[in-house]
Amino acid sequence: MVQRNLAQRSDPDSWAGEIARARERLAVHLTKTPLVESDFLSRELGRPVLLKLESMQPIGAFKVRAALNSILTHLDECRSTGVVTNSSGNFAQAVAYAATRLGVESTIVMMRGASAFKRRRTEAFGGNVVLCEDSFEARFAATERIRVETGLRLLHPYNSPETIAGNGTLGLELLEQVSSAFDLYVPISGGGLIAGTTLAVKAGRPECSVFGVQSEANPSMKLSLEAGRPVRTAPAPSLADALTVLEPGSQTFPVVQEHVESVELVSEEGMASAVRLLAVEQKLVVEPGAAVSVAAALAAPRGRDRPLVCVLSGGNIAPESLRELLAAGS
């Protein structure tokens, strides 16, 4: 059982046990994702650049870690009641996949304007998709209404101890895959991925440095750090449909505030260029919201010699979108 007081704590050592237990739960269902060196990026940056391929997860994104841990932590209840969540796409797929695998009914609220590609994949994994109006307020309101009316267990896409601990298993893998201190670049939306990964990495190897990355269109974490508290930003269109949360999580923000070196912003063209580079030079399909880590790494100051790790958090880009991005660079 997750200790609820974890939600109020940002000390890495206090999370170590729960992240380790999450690793044990997930070991039956997931294998360690590859960490590969990019010869091209290593030459460009003058030091080893390693790519953590969360795009190789069963649903094509890191979110399956959080979804599985959230259900497994409360498996009997979830099987009895079913689960409900809301998502722009990757957590939707992850919950649908995890729930179906574990014999749980899942209901996922998605905005009408969310990626049709990700919605179809969510339904293919077995999720019952409920559409709502195109606003975060509508999405969360619809989720809460369904929870109250049906008694389904709520799974939060980024702001819960189960989510954070599940994502922390990525950090444990990195500590096993890299033997020395490293610089880590992690995409940020609500902060669940960077919070969990940072807690695991800092507990095991505190000399590592962690940098968050957001799109310039949706800089909620960056602006919140500058304000010293979570602040809400206005919605804005972006290629990075996976990085659209308008306000950091109340449980993720303190971790970033205390343990992440900085949050960098990348432009739309920067992430588009990174998608093209990864496709052409690495033969990897990566969605824009995941490619921001590489875009930020390319803009990072030179002169450091320790390994640089980029988390490629997902590869769920619609084929037609990928074709357009590749054609734009030809």
Side-chain angles (χ1 to χ4, degrees), residues 20 49 60 63 71 85 94 142 155 158 186 257 281 302 312 315:
V49 177
K63 293 282 191 177
I71 295 175
T85 193
L155 306 184
Y158 56 88
V186 185
Q257 186 179 42
E281 299 293 342
R302 302 300 195 263
L312 302 185

Side-chain angles (χ1 to χ4, degrees), residues 158-194:
Y158 56 88
N159 197 42
S160 75
E162 296 89 346
T163 300
I164 293 169
N167 291 333
T169 62
L170 190 157
L172 295 184
E173 290 182 14
L174 288 176
L175 293 174
E176 295 169 355
Q177 292 171 313
V178 187
S179 60
S180 62
F182 53 86
D183 293 339
L184 178 62
Y185 282 74
V186 185
I188 296 179
S189 187
L193 175 60
I194 195 167

Side-chain angles (χ1 to χ4, degrees), residues 12-330:
D13 291 337
S14 69
W15 282 84
E18 185 52 39
I19 294 173
R21 285 187 287 275
R23 180 82 180 279
E24 292 175 3
R25 293 184 196 108
L26 300 190
V28 178
H29 304 279
L30 299 178
T31 57
K32 187 184 300 183
T33 54
L35 182 74
V36 300
E37 181 169 1
S38 167
D39 290 340
F40 178 85
L41 289 171
S42 295
R43 291 195 303 272
E44 286 290 304
L45 299 183
R47 57 167 163 160
V49 177
L50 310 172
L51 307 176
K52 181 62 168 167
L53 304 186
E54 288 296 288
S55 53
M56 301 294 288
Q57 290 285 11
I59 61 98
F62 77 96
K63 293 282 191 177
V64 70
R65 297 177 185 267
L68 279 167
N69 192 53
S70 295
I71 295 175
L72 287 167
T73 304
H74 308 281
L75 185 56
D76 290 343
E77 178 187 350
C78 291
R79 282 178 171 163
S80 174
T81 65
V83 299
V84 63
T85 193
N86 62 80
S87 169
S88 61
N90 282 339
F91 195 63
Q93 295 172 76
V95 169
Y97 171 88
T100 299
R101 182 181 179 91
L102 297 171
V104 173
E105 294 292 324
S106 63
T107 297
I108 298 104
V109 178
M110 302 180 74
M111 296 182 198
R112 296 186 189 280
S115 165
F117 174 72
K118 292 181 178 180
R119 187 174 76 208
R120 289 193 299 269
R121 285 173 55 85
T122 299
E123 292 170 334
F125 284 127
N128 173 37
V129 174
V130 176
L131 298 179
C132 70
E133 297 307 310
D134 288 335
S135 75
F136 281 94
E137 292 81 5
R139 201 174 88 179
F140 280 99
T143 306
E144 180 62 10
R145 175 182 56 78
I146 292 170
R147 185 193 69 80
V148 170
E149 292 177 355
T150 63
L152 299 176
R153 180 172 182 88
L154 176 66
L155 306 184
H156 202 287
Y158 56 88
N159 197 42
S160 75
E162 296 89 346
T163 300
I164 293 169
N167 291 333
T169 62
L170 190 157
L172 295 184
E173 290 182 14
L174 288 176
L175 293 174
E176 295 169 355
Q177 292 171 313
V178 187
S179 60
S180 62
F182 53 86
D183 293 339
L184 178 62
Y185 282 74
V186 185
I188 296 179
S189 187
L193 175 60
I194 195 167
T197 304
T198 297
L199 288 165
V201 167
K202 293 289 188 177
R205 202 171 297 157
E207 63 271 26
C208 291
S209 298
V210 183
F211 303 89
V213 192
Q214 292 189 294
S215 71
E216 289 180 349
N218 293 292
S220 57
M221 185 68 80
K222 174 106 172 153
L223 295 179
S224 295
L225 291 174
E226 292 172 353
R229 57 178 175 80
V231 298
R232 189 173 183 82
T233 57
S238 174
L239 292 172
D241 68 303
L243 306 182
T244 57
V245 172
L246 304 180
E247 183 176 346
S250 59
Q251 299 175 33
T252 63
F253 175 73
V255 177
V256 177
Q257 186 179 42
E258 293 184 34
H259 301 294
V260 171
E261 273 62 38
S262 66
V263 172
E264 308 302 322
L265 301 180
V266 299
S267 66
E268 296 295 297
E269 180 50 39
M271 71 178 80
S273 295
V275 169
R276 289 191 288 267
L277 183 153
L278 289 164
V280 174
E281 299 293 342
Q282 297 299 136
K283 317 308 175 192
L284 293 173
V285 174
V286 178
E287 62 188 281
V292 294
S293 59
V294 169
L298 285 167
R302 302 300 195 263
R304 294 170 71 88
D305 59 2
R306 64 187 188 176
L308 186 155
V309 178
C310 293
V311 176
L312 302 185
S313 52
N316 291 319
I317 181 172
E320 58 272 19
S321 299
L322 180 60
R323 284 196 297 269
E324 290 175 4
L325 285 177
L326 292 177
S330 61

